[in-house]
Amino acid sequence: MSMQLDKVFAPGERFIGVVTPSGNTVVERVTMAILRAFNGVTPLFSRTPVFGESDPYPESYAVDEMLTAAHLLAHAKPDVMLWNGSKGAKIGVQHDRDYVQRVQDQTGIRTTTSILALDDLLRSRGLMRVAIVSPYDSAYQQGLVEAYREAGYEVIAERHRALKDNISFASIPADAIAGMVREAAAHKPDAVLTLCTNFPAATVIPAIEAETGIPMFDSVSIGVWHALRMAGIDTSPARAWGQVFAQ
């Protein structure tokens, strides 16, 4: 017990600051679970209002609120900051790039987002034929597919759950998620993307990735992966969360 207590405050501890939507119950759990593989790396969380069924900013971010959340995290001087939300996949990654630039300019702390990490990874590896799996309703999912096509990707398959309320996304059973992922993977895309950071797919996709040989990237875990890399931390101890961590 004493050895475990001694590890609570490790010398030279590293911090990753994470901004997450307020209606989200998945990001913190997945982030903490991944970081258990790393000694002396601790997540710090801040929230910004995103909840319910309606979005007052359907084509943009509530930037001032997101910046406030980032500034609160900056008080603790994390090594890296991460916006772990997936809206940029629908409204365009330039919104994420603009947010990152403003946070870095105002705080001096290196910053990334889950969707920037995903987009950069897919393009760098030439994985342009994708399948998209999400919990969203049909209208939002269609907008998501169209946004990826406009960004130059070929979306060859999609599966969605047709839910609207943010909190309900986190309640989808693992076997239902696995079924959607396997159906999408049957179309042989270059990669399967599980999009929505309140969608509990991160624990499901590693086994299916190994089973099918198709790269699979979850919007929550990919953000954590990129934040670790930006902090100069070897991600291989978390290889159980997907092949991307081992590379």
Side-chain angles (χ1 to χ4, degrees), residues 190 192 219 223 243 245:
D190 294 338
V192 175
S219 54
Q243 284 300 309
F245 284 88

Side-chain angles (χ1 to χ4, degrees), residues 45-244:
F45 298 99
S46 188
R47 288 173 173 260
T48 189
V50 181
F51 58 94
E53 293 187 14
S54 61
D55 183 352
Y57 304 93
E59 301 301 327
S60 64
Y61 282 133
V63 177
D64 290 344
E65 294 166 345
M66 290 170 66
L67 287 171
T68 297
H71 277 285
L72 291 173
L73 283 172
H75 295 166
K77 305 297 184 185
D79 297 82
V80 174
M81 285 202 284
L82 165 67
W83 160 239
N84 210 329
S86 59
K87 186 176 175 180
K90 182 175 182 290
I91 64 175
V93 295
Q94 189 57 46
H95 291 274
D96 284 52
R97 297 193 193 283
D98 292 344
Y99 172 72
V100 164
Q101 190 62 56
R102 290 184 67 176
V103 173
Q104 291 181 159
D105 288 347
Q106 294 178 25
T107 69
I109 298 171
R110 296 185 70 195
T111 302
T112 188
T113 78
S114 56
I115 296 305
L116 280 181
L118 179 58
D119 187 60
D120 290 348
L121 178 65
L122 292 171
R123 292 184 188 279
S124 69
R125 298 187 178 184
L127 305 176
M128 301 302 289
R129 297 173 65 258
V130 301
I132 295 174
V133 178
S134 87
Y136 298 125
D137 65 47
S138 296
Y140 195 99
Q141 179 78 352
Q142 184 57 39
L144 192 57
V145 168
E146 290 174 0
Y148 265 84
R149 286 175 174 156
E150 289 174 6
Y153 292 91
E154 181 183 358
V155 181
I156 66 168
E158 66 83 19
R159 293 293 184 274
H160 61 283
R161 189 69 171 181
L163 298 177
K164 291 185 176 182
D165 181 74
N166 187 277
I167 198 71
S168 69
F169 301 158
S171 66
I172 302 174
D175 59 349
I177 298 172
M180 290 192 289
V181 171
R182 286 194 172 94
E183 288 174 6
H187 293 263
K188 304 299 182 183
D190 294 338
V192 175
L193 318 180
T194 55
L195 295 176
C196 175
T197 62
N198 207 28
F199 185 41
T203 60
V204 172
I205 62 169
I208 305 175
E209 181 183 59
E211 168 190 312
T212 62
I214 296 171
M216 299 188 178
F217 305 117
D218 173 69
S219 54
V220 179
S221 57
I222 202 70
V224 181
W225 167 81
H226 196 230
L228 287 165
R229 286 177 62 90
M230 286 180 67
I233 297 169
D234 175 16
T235 61
S236 63
R239 61 174 59 87
W241 291 89
Q243 284 300 309
V244 68

